[in-house]
Amino acid sequence: MINATKSTRILCWFYGVSACALPLSGSAAQQAANASEPKPAATVQRDGQRDFDFEIGTWTSRVSRLQHPLSGSTAWVTYEGTTLVRASMGGRANLAELDIAGKAGAIAGVSLRLYNPETQQWSLNFSNLRSGTLSPPTIGRFADGRGEFFGDESLDGRPIRVRFVVTCATSDSCRFEQAFSDDGGKSWEVNWIATDTRVAVGVVPAK
């Protein structure tokens, strides 16, 4: 067994002469030993500021919408049109302009996406131009090529959770899916599916 004096000499040899200016107590020796152990590297969060760059440009949009969410109805309507996405503020924001129409009518709206560098999350803020106001935001980030965003709204006077998911099969084909939950996120009902296909530069999308 190594006695206290010998243990102190070993620590002196290991840490240098300055470590032996004063005798090391048992707790000090333990602290010195712990200091020599490698510390785990700090977790570095990824910067997602460029995560929406893929969407800059013009897209053909095909949309399916559940007419009466969370009502038991299974009646869907379809629309077709375009989505135009522009970058702003050096990539920390972008604006998507949606212009679609179908037998159920037309939808014109804008989605303002804003990046928060402190939380490294995006907020998605949508406005149907018919209302002239922004809906409560959904907030989230991309991970492994999948964007998930969550928020709280109300539907017919009752509180609901909102989930918005973005996935892209290729750089020219993306899917946007919205779902509602009225049980705190235990179950979800999808009510909006948009499939976007990139329009080649110089090509005017059909109306």
Side-chain angles (χ1 to χ4, degrees), residues 98-133:
L98 177 69
D99 187 5
I100 54 176
K103 292 182 179 179
I107 298 176
V110 295
S111 182
L112 176 64
R113 290 82 167 261
L114 301 171
Y115 184 68
N116 184 332
E118 292 186 3
T119 63
Q120 297 184 325
Q121 292 181 309
W122 285 87
S123 68
L124 313 186
N125 309 270
F126 183 76
S127 174
N128 186 322
L129 296 186
R130 184 176 298 174
S131 69
T133 60

Side-chain angles (χ1 to χ4, degrees), residues 14 16 27 36 40 44 68 70-72 84 91 105 112 123 136 150 153 165:
F14 187 80
S27 60
S36 68
V44 178
H68 304 290
L70 300 179
S71 68
L84 174 62
L112 176 64
S123 68
F150 295 88
E153 292 190 27
V165 177

Side-chain angles (χ1 to χ4, degrees), residues 159-178:
I160 62 169
R161 290 283 286 163
V162 180
R163 182 185 68 194
F164 197 74
V165 177
V166 182
T167 54
C168 294
T170 70
S171 60
D172 297 323
S173 178
C174 293
R175 175 186 170 99
F176 303 82
E177 180 185 287
Q178 179 181 268

Side-chain angles (χ1 to χ4, degrees), residues 74-92:
T74 57
W76 288 76
V77 291
T78 59
Y79 305 82
E80 290 192 12
T82 60
T83 299
L84 174 62
V85 184
R86 298 184 178 92
S88 180
M89 303 301 293
R92 287 180 55 183

